[in-house]
Amino acid sequence: IFLLHIIQVYFNKRRLIAEEKIDEFVRKYGYSYDYVFVFKVYVENEINSLNEMQQMYTMKNILDRCQSALIETKCFYSCQRDEIYVKMRIHPSRLKLEADRIDYKLLLDPRNLKDTAKAGYVTKDRNKSVVVWKPINITDEYNVSPYDPYEFIYGKYDTSDQLQHLYTKYPAKLNRVHPFREVDRIRLLLSILEGKIHENPPGCGLDLQSLEINKVVLAHFPLHNYEELVNIEKEMLKVVVNWNDGIQIPLNRIKDYFGERIGLYFVYLQFYTQQLMLPALIGTVVFIVSVIYQSNEGIMNPYFAAYSPVWSMIFMKGWQQRQSA
């Protein structure tokens, strides 16, 4: 109980850190800044020693590019006032334009997709009905898949109003919903930063890796949403407490926050931990038998050694099956 109390106090402190001043943007759209650039503050005698890249891409130049690309920025000094942090965020309408431009794939809502597919789509051209697609009905007659036929289908984003209901909506702060997760907003922001200036809508034309190598920016990284991070940590703690439910990790929440690559790692970690339970149990029995019979030779060791490669093969086949699902 005391340990749980300490954990609760810890999370309460983290929640206080997570509380931020809600400005008009957050109140209206439910999210805040997603990315940050770190610039060095140069003293007067250091200006002459700047390389060509640093002279070309000044902080003002980069901020002007961001403004042209409709990226909202906020600048502030570090505690030592030797660095300037530039936080960035993008209006939802600009995110949609960028997602449409690069054909960004989003998860479709299964229920709305099913209803739309069965209804078909008809439009009018010069007072004449034009069938865009006929009614579609996808069925799994032989129950081959454990999933519904309309689940986990992704589609390219389109700004058309008729298609907005097809995209899965994710919750944000203050009961707002958006088709873009935090990881999606960061990816689209990076796409805008690296997009070409002459495109429509224009990008910033920045090579982030080159800017960091040439010390134009000291660092650039996405910002944490501490409220969501604390919620994920709380659910991860339940893995230790709720043993009756097995090893359950909030995989979807991790995927939506950190991205699919990190999510897949946690899927593997969950599967690997579950599969280790049987070898751990057998190993414990082998150890107890060895202690009871006080045998230095380990009479059970050959049997355990023979079991280990068999378990390894079963594990690999099981992971291949789990990965394909």
Side-chain angles (χ1 to χ4, degrees), residues 142-259:
Y142 301 101
N143 296 323
V144 175
S145 173
Y147 304 107
D148 185 86
Y150 294 91
E151 284 185 315
F152 304 108
I153 296 179
Y154 287 76
K156 297 177 182 179
Y157 184 81
D158 193 294
T159 54
S160 174
D161 293 335
Q162 292 84 358
L163 300 177
Q164 296 308 305
H165 69 287
L166 291 178
Y167 303 110
T168 300
K169 302 299 188 297
Y170 299 95
K173 296 179 181 178
L174 304 176
N175 298 321
R176 301 293 188 266
V177 291
H178 295 283
F180 304 112
R181 304 165 297 172
E182 292 185 43
V183 66
D184 295 323
R185 295 201 306 266
I186 292 170
R187 288 169 181 165
L188 292 171
L189 174 58
L190 291 175
S191 177
I192 295 173
L193 289 171
E194 296 179 342
K196 297 179 181 180
I197 298 177
H198 58 76
E199 290 176 341
N200 185 25
C204 296
L206 301 175
D207 185 344
L208 300 183
Q209 185 176 2
S210 179
L211 293 180
E212 190 170 7
I213 292 175
N214 289 277
K215 306 297 182 181
V216 176
V217 295
L218 299 181
H220 57 91
F221 48 85
L223 293 171
H224 270 303
N225 178 353
Y226 279 102
E227 184 177 348
E228 179 63 18
L229 198 61
V230 166
N231 291 332
I232 293 176
E233 289 175 349
K234 282 185 176 181
E235 291 196 28
M236 292 292 289
L237 260 178
K238 295 178 183 178
V239 175
V240 180
V241 178
N242 297 331
W243 285 105
N244 294 331
D245 299 331
I247 301 176
Q248 298 296 325
I249 300 176
L251 296 174
N252 286 329
R253 203 158 191 173
I254 293 173
K255 171 182 67 71
D256 291 339
Y257 185 79
F258 293 102

Side-chain angles (χ1 to χ4, degrees), residues 17-54:
I17 295 174
E19 290 178 353
E20 59 180 347
K21 185 178 179 180
I22 300 179
D23 58 16
E24 187 61 31
F25 187 96
V26 178
R27 188 177 294 107
K28 189 173 182 180
Y29 302 112
Y31 66 90
S32 187
Y33 296 96
D34 291 315
Y35 212 77
V36 67
F37 275 11
V38 183
F39 293 90
K40 180 181 179 181
V41 177
Y42 294 99
V43 295
E44 188 173 352
N45 58 357
E46 292 179 324
I47 296 179
N48 295 328
S49 62
L50 298 179
N51 59 42
E52 183 179 354
M53 195 81 167
Q54 290 172 327

Side-chain angles (χ1 to χ4, degrees), residues 27 36 74 109 132 201 290 304 315 321:
R27 188 177 294 107
V36 67
K74 181 179 180 181
D109 183 87
V132 180
S290 300
F304 187 72
F315 169 77
Q321 185 177 5

